[in-house]
Amino acid sequence: MHKIKNYKDIEQITFGQHMIIDCYGCDKEPADSMDVVHQLLKDLVEVTGLHELMPPYLVKATSNLEDGGKDSGGISGFVMIQESHISVHTFALRGYATLDVYSCKPFDARDVLKVIKKTLKCEDIDVMNMERGLKYPKEDIYTI
Amino acid sequence: MHKIKNYKDIEQITFGQHMIIDCYGCDKEPADSMDVVHQLLKDLVEVTGLHELMPPYLVKATSNLEDGGKDSGGISGFVMIQESHISVHTFALRGYATLDVYSCKPFDARDVLKVIKKTLKCEDIDVMNMERGLKYPKEDIYTI
């Protein structure tokens, strides 16, 4: 195990910042475009000053209304950044998009909202900006 | 545009459920194993009854302590499920893991916690179970 000490006995710091964003009344065209959603992820990485661990990964999700779902089709995208991630799921015909921007480094939440509003042209955004990992130990509790 | 109506004029429902999970005092071995973290994602998909849109995608994140970061290395994993996602980031030497389970279909939050506790053997978990997309329109606001 090589355990040095219990995490409770080490100074604790906050691990990261997580923005939770739900957008309503988005324009159909950008929410339905792989190119636009790809660029949105790139722009969010840039505006937050984060570092990609992979290029953005995108899939098209087909409608699941016939299976009793509530999705009439859209795009899901994801990019792994150093230690955390940015995700987006759009539902073009509903005008809905739901995003998460989670980073271990602080970033400006207003810059994130500006990029999203400009890209998706949404009428309304619900947003929450929360701290994650409030008991993150400042030092390692194990040795290699 | 083919806009049918404004989203505010349509009945609104809740889009999905998002569990936000931060784990402390995790065992080093599972948090440092690509195999274990891969299986954890598979188990979370199974226990929530969700459907994968892709196999789990995992990367090893190297330490960024020399760059002034707070990560001494770990694993990041992600799986796109129908309309949403499950993500995990482990920090093995810190005994920390941070997870998100987000689905448009309801699932049992306790089952999710059981799988995580059993796999990562953490001493302490901070968890929040939130609703996302409270103004999700029940019908399409655009036509194809």
Side-chain angles (χ1 to χ4, degrees), chain B residues 40-108:
Chain B
L40 172 61
L41 287 169
K42 298 289 283 183
D43 290 346
L44 288 173
V45 170
E46 192 186 339
V47 82
T48 48
L50 305 173
H51 301 285
E52 291 181 8
L53 287 184
M54 58 178 267
Y57 183 98
L58 277 82
V59 296
K60 270 198 182 255
T62 51
S63 168
N64 65 3
L65 295 179
E66 288 186 4
D67 299 327
K70 43 193 163 188
D71 178 15
S72 47
I75 295 169
S76 283
F78 182 82
V79 60
M80 203 84 83
I81 53 176
Q82 210 163 24
E83 294 96 38
S84 297
H85 65 262
I86 300 174
S87 66
V88 54
H89 306 280
T90 70
F91 303 83
L93 296 182
R94 297 285 161 106
Y96 178 66
T98 178
L99 297 99
D100 290 78
V101 180
Y102 182 12
S103 167
C104 69
K105 292 180 186 161
F107 57 89
D108 190 325

Side-chain angles (χ1 to χ4, degrees), chain A residues 1-3 6-8 13-16 18-22 24-29 53-55 57-65 67-72 76-78 80-85 87-89 91-96 98-100 102 104-106 123-126 128 130-144, chain B residues 1-3 6-8 13-16 18-22 24-29 53-55 57-65 67-72 76-78 80-85 87-89 91-96 98-100 102 104-106 123-126 128 130-144:
Chain A
M1 278 296 201
H2 310 295
K3 193 160 189 172
N6 193 289
Y7 85 93
K8 289 180 180 166
I13 56 177
T14 297
F15 171 70
H18 186 171
M19 268 184 89
I20 289 170
I21 307 150
D22 294 334
Y24 307 93
C26 302
D27 261 14
K28 179 184 159 191
E29 278 69 18
L53 286 184
M54 58 179 267
Y57 183 99
L58 277 83
V59 297
K60 270 200 183 256
T62 52
S63 169
N64 65 2
L65 295 179
D67 299 326
K70 44 193 162 186
D71 178 14
S72 46
S76 282
F78 183 82
M80 203 85 81
I81 53 175
Q82 210 163 24
E83 293 95 39
S84 296
H85 65 262
S87 66
V88 54
H89 306 280
F91 303 81
L93 297 181
R94 297 284 161 106
Y96 179 66
T98 178
L99 297 98
D100 289 77
Y102 182 12
C104 70
K105 290 179 188 162
E123 294 172 53
D124 190 13
I125 296 188
D126 287 344
M128 197 164 70
M130 65 187 295
E131 290 186 331
R132 293 283 300 261
L134 291 176
K135 305 172 197 162
Y136 186 74
K138 198 175 178 183
E139 299 160 29
D140 292 345
I141 64 169
Y142 297 101
T143 56
I144 295 168
Chain B
M1 279 296 200
H2 311 294
K3 192 159 191 172
N6 193 291
Y7 85 94
K8 290 180 180 166
I13 57 177
T14 297
F15 170 71
H18 187 171
M19 268 184 88
I20 288 171
I21 306 149
D22 294 333
Y24 306 93
C26 303
D27 260 13
K28 178 185 160 191
E29 279 68 19
L53 287 184
M54 58 178 267
Y57 183 98
L58 277 82
V59 296
K60 270 198 182 255
T62 51
S63 168
N64 65 3
L65 295 179
D67 299 327
K70 43 193 163 188
D71 178 15
S72 47
S76 283
F78 182 82
M80 203 84 83
I81 53 176
Q82 210 163 24
E83 294 96 38
S84 297
H85 65 262
S87 66
V88 54
H89 306 280
F91 303 83
L93 296 182
R94 297 285 161 106
Y96 178 66
T98 178
L99 297 99
D100 290 78
Y102 182 12
C104 69
K105 292 180 186 161
E123 294 172 54
D124 189 12
I125 296 189
D126 286 344
M128 197 164 69
M130 64 186 297
E131 290 186 330
R132 294 283 300 260
L134 291 176
K135 307 172 196 162
Y136 186 74
K138 198 175 178 182
E139 299 160 30
D140 291 346
I141 65 170
Y142 297 101
T143 56
I144 296 168

